[in-house]
Amino acid sequence: MVIAKLEEPPDELGHKRLKQIYDAKDAEVSGEAQAVRKLVNAIIDDTSTPSDNAALARIESRIDSVMSETRHHLEQEQGELLSALEARDFATVRRSLTRVDSLRDELNERVDAIRNEMVTVSSGAIATIRSEQTRAVLISVIVTVLAAIV
């Protein structure tokens, strides 16, 4: 979008098309975050699922924090960037781009940290399930042996 606005003359049609894509992706990210939060809450509510509910609650809280705080700051800065672009204030655009890049990197780091925590929690749940399966197989073998002896 920035490049489209920097061209002489500005590529308004290209800028508009890219802005629509940007807005669609923004809505997609919000929808995916909401879906993840629903899934995490469903796992927490499901008592038959072996899970670390405290860790899942922390993950849900971190997702909420990223979506509300970090993304809010990023959206605010991007709004200022777009306003500066419209005004063709390129000095402000350059400063704003630096801040947007920094905020975007921070957002990516926080999302990656959440993703890593989700993998850790999933691995713990998988280990618990495998342990329970092994115990169930062992009990079945013992019962079968006892039945054969009887």
Side-chain angles (χ1 to χ4, degrees):
M1 291 186 311
V2 171
I3 292 171
K5 282 290 191 175
L6 292 175
E7 291 180 353
E8 276 301 327
D11 180 7
E12 296 297 337
L13 187 60
H15 174 77
K16 182 178 178 182
R17 181 180 53 80
L18 292 169
K19 178 77 166 96
Q20 289 171 340
I21 292 169
Y22 171 83
D23 291 340
K25 290 295 179 185
D26 184 56
E28 186 178 326
V29 167
S30 294
E32 286 181 9
Q34 190 62 27
V36 169
R37 291 178 69 205
K38 283 182 184 178
L39 287 172
V40 167
N41 285 322
I43 293 169
I44 291 170
D45 293 341
D46 184 0
T47 56
S48 67
T49 303
S51 59
D52 182 350
N53 289 346
L56 289 171
R58 283 191 305 273
I59 289 171
E60 196 274 336
S61 174
R62 289 178 67 193
I63 292 169
D64 183 47
S65 173
V66 165
M67 293 307 293
S68 62
E69 295 168 17
T70 307
R71 244 176 115 228
H72 175 73
H73 293 304
L74 181 60
E75 288 170 355
Q76 191 174 27
E77 190 62 46
Q78 287 171 335
E80 291 173 19
L81 170 65
L82 293 175
S83 295
L85 270 174
E86 288 298 324
R88 302 194 51 81
D89 179 0
F90 298 125
T92 302
V93 167
R94 280 190 292 280
R95 286 190 303 273
S96 189
L97 270 174
T98 302
R99 291 189 303 265
V100 166
D101 285 343
S102 175
L103 287 169
R104 187 193 60 233
D105 291 345
E106 178 186 337
L107 176 65
N108 287 338
E109 288 172 10
R110 290 184 71 182
V111 168
D112 284 343
I114 292 169
R115 210 177 275 130
N116 290 336
E117 188 174 352
M118 290 172 100
V119 167
T120 301
V121 171
S122 296
S123 296
I126 289 168
T128 301
I129 290 169
R130 283 187 179 152
S131 172
E132 289 177 3
Q133 285 177 333
T134 301
R135 187 175 41 221
V137 168
L138 182 61
I139 291 170
S140 294
V141 167
I142 292 171
V143 169
T144 301
V145 169
L146 289 175
I149 292 173
V150 170

